[in-house]
Amino acid sequence: MATNIKKIAVLTSGGDSPGMNAAIRSVVRTCAFLDVECVAIYRGYDGMIEGDFVPMNARSVNNIINKGGTILKSARCEEFRTPEGRKLAYDQLIAEGIGGFVVIGGDGSFRGATTFNEEFDFPVIGIPGTIDNDIFGTRYTLGFDTALNTVVDAIDKIRDTASSHNRLFFIEVMGRDVGHIALNAGVAAGAEEILIPEENLGLERLLDSLKRSKKSGKSSSIVVVAEGDKIGKNVFELKEYVEEHLPIYDVRVSVLGHMQRGGAPTAFDRVLASRMGVKAVEALLEGKTNLMVGIMDSKIVLTPITEALRGHTKIDKELIRVSDIMTT
Ligand code: ADP
């Protein structure tokens, strides 16, 4: 079904991730290519409620494909959680003649978008922008690949100093609910152990593994810990525990924190963002709504946002097995 949408809005919302700018660029350029007006909404749903709109054309997004963060700024907006706030946003969109919007964000932003769609029958399409890779309906979210590379780079550097001093490092990476960053970065950087929210390794096994590692002659050890690891101890508690039970180890902690969210997007994220932006605009113009753009088996696909919100992409069991073998 074709629509008579003449103007499309794009916004970034919630936690930022590398690749958001490339996705904004793609939405804006696709609109220009298809001769549809495009409007940027600044500061997420806050800007939608306040009518913080700026017309965009193909030249407005020059030289941003390689930039981290989001030129549109992002925000967390409490007012949008209320029916009154959403009504104000709806009135602003209608006054501006906007016929649909593309929201680039995480599950919270999608929850807002789907509620808005259901309340006002307003066309919305989501692009998953979050480094955690925790959204169902897409194998990769925008920013995951960049964050992964950032983490691997950081661990490589830490390993240099760890091996110079025969140290054990606990490195905390992002991932409260899912361990995609920890598992993939751990395998890529050759970590001795990887602690993730999905699997409980157990403290005993951790100690055994570290003992084995020491015995086998390794000069340093890296343990990658996802924020929400299932053992339930944070990196500082783990350090204390290991120091108490394995005094042979000189233990250090490194929390990578927000550096994981920044930096120039990788080629993979730029290409993914470009593909997702095209699909998002085309979907709106075809009369599709309440859907999220994702990538599955290398193909760009659409999934109902309500389904995308139902769960997380499961951790790759085969990769866990590979990791177990590699840490021998
Ligand atoms: P992310 O999109 O990164 O998960 P948040 O969870 O902070 O980030 O969500 C971003 C914004 O989406 C929130 O600040 C709020 O404005 C909106 N939002 C989140 N959950 C809801 C909800 N249940 N209903 C309406 N709006 C929501």
Side-chain angles (χ1 to χ4, degrees), residues 13-16 20 44-46 74-82 86 103-113 115-116 129-130 134-135 261:
S13 166
D16 64 324
M20 281 185 160
Y45 293 126
D46 265 341
S74 194
R76 296 206 150 92
C77 171
E78 284 313 307
E79 215 181 340
F80 199 78
R81 293 176 187 273
T82 66
R86 292 192 293 275
V103 57
I104 307 163
D107 56 353
S109 303
F110 289 173
R111 226 161 249 126
T115 305
F116 189 79
T130 162
D134 59 352
I135 295 183
R261 286 231 192 124

Side-chain angles (χ1 to χ4, degrees), residues 128-201:
T130 162
I131 64 165
D132 290 338
N133 208 27
D134 59 352
I135 295 183
F136 190 73
T138 188
R139 186 73 195 78
Y140 299 108
T141 56
L142 272 189
F144 168 66
D145 185 67
T146 305
L148 182 56
N149 280 283
T150 302
V151 170
V152 170
D153 190 45
I155 298 177
D156 284 349
K157 287 178 174 139
I158 290 169
R159 173 147 344 245
D160 287 346
T161 167
S163 55
S164 304
H165 296 275
N166 287 341
R167 277 180 181 147
L168 162 63
F169 264 87
F170 283 105
I171 303 178
E172 186 189 276
V173 303
M174 284 188 174
R176 248 178 246 292
D177 305 311
V178 290
H180 293 291
I181 291 182
L183 180 60
N184 285 273
V187 170
E192 276 62 41
E193 281 299 342
I194 303 166
L195 309 186
I196 54 176
E198 291 86 347
E199 297 244 315
N200 195 344
L201 176 69

Side-chain angles (χ1 to χ4, degrees), residues 211-232:
K211 277 183 206 156
R212 264 202 321 276
S213 174
K214 196 77 171 171
K215 246 196 198 151
S216 73
K218 286 191 179 176
S219 62
S220 66
S221 289
I222 301 282
V223 179
V224 178
V225 186
E227 277 169 314
D229 93 89
K230 201 142 202 171
I231 289 182

